[in-house]
Amino acid sequence: MAHQVGSSVLDLDRGTLRRDGEIVPVRPKTFDLLAFLVRNPGRVLSKDELLQAVWPSTIVTEDSLTQCIRDVRKCIGDETQSLVRTVPRRGYMFQAADDSLPASLPPATAAVQIERAPEPMVAILPFRVNVDDAATKQLFDGVVEEIINALSYFKTIAVLARHSAFALAEHSDQDIWATAERLGADYVAEGSVESAEDGYSTHVVLSETASGRRIWAQAFSFRTSDIFVFQRMVAQRIATALVANIESAAIRRTSPAPAANIEAYVHILRGIALLRSYGEGVNQQAREHLLKALELDPDSGLAHAYLALADTIIGGYGGAPRALLDQARDRALHATALSPDEARCHRILALILLYLAEFDAAARHFARALDLNPYDADTLAQTGFFEVIRGHGEAGLVLLAGNHGRPSHDGLGRSGADTVRSRVGRMG
């Protein structure tokens, strides 16, 4: 059963709390306290009653309750204490925003609107590649990332961030469903890849987390050159299976492929992977791959954007020479012109504009990236930190909290927020 709590949704059956479709990490005792408050709306609950409900047969001080109340308010965004009210010398009371509902109703309906979570959350796991070829594994990891990006364009579907989905896949088959449910994933998509004549044979399955019931499954055989058609088709089939009446126009926004040439695409994937890694010379190696990608496909917006990022990283981020940053900005602008609906191009351009202290322009492109892909960990982290350094602390913290601690990679393997934090200081 899900309860609307302000802008959050509390699911008592699954033990999860979501804000704007994203799972909110909640300590067990904080969740227990919030659940007890929600089940008893409009009633003053004494401290003794709350202590007994949340810490039965355990001796704790009132400080534990006070801290837990503070955590509850933080989790549900109740900074004004309008939902969880302190009643002086008596205790606490949960009061939903709709005061018109009579307090005499049963606890499940009083002052609490019951509804489904705002959108289904799906986790796309890395495909199992049964091919003895590391390049093929890397290729299909990239395919999964593109499927995640394509699904993010559907505003009625929430998509688990790539890092979280790939970490989820590391769990054993026995643990994966419980872990998926804990992360708030209502559905899990899995795929397998086999070698076929002049291409690949794949089988993709979409299952419901809670029951394990298969929602959709399909086998695909395609030539290597048709891999972009395959990834868009998988995204569309998953969306269709999850949401009725999806507007077909939405998927067309994902039409621009990362590269028109499969060999160029592989170079892009290798370049991105190197930028996210540690090691001597990895950024220079990434740059070489991106240059090769552009030799093969000069109109790849994504390759131009990541090359601009690689040059910025090699040059020293915000400490790079002005001429280098200007050149990187021009290349990133060209990338957004080539791929205007690719969120990553706008995010990288915004980051470079930030290093150039062109804050208004950076804000526009961060906003555009967030609009195009509202579930991307990099965009959430970098936009959040950008808002913080602009003095919009509350808005920035909401975005950073929306990332829920998921690593946001942007060069040298460090989190996007840490990258910005470590380099903006050089700008003065």
Side-chain angles (χ1 to χ4, degrees), residues 114-152:
I114 301 173
E115 60 177 38
R116 285 175 51 86
E119 55 211 357
M121 171 79 79
V122 59
I124 313 297
L125 304 188
F127 288 2
R128 296 183 301 277
V129 178
N130 303 315
V131 180
D132 189 18
D133 180 1
T136 300
K137 176 67 169 65
Q138 187 179 50
L139 175 64
F140 276 90
D141 280 353
V143 167
V144 169
E145 185 163 358
E146 294 305 321
I147 292 171
I148 290 172
N149 284 325
L151 281 169
S152 296

Side-chain angles (χ1 to χ4, degrees), residues 34 184 205 248 256 263 308 324 331 379 424:
L34 177 58
V205 178
S248 60
E263 189 178 351
L324 187 151
R331 183 178 289 279
T379 302
V424 168

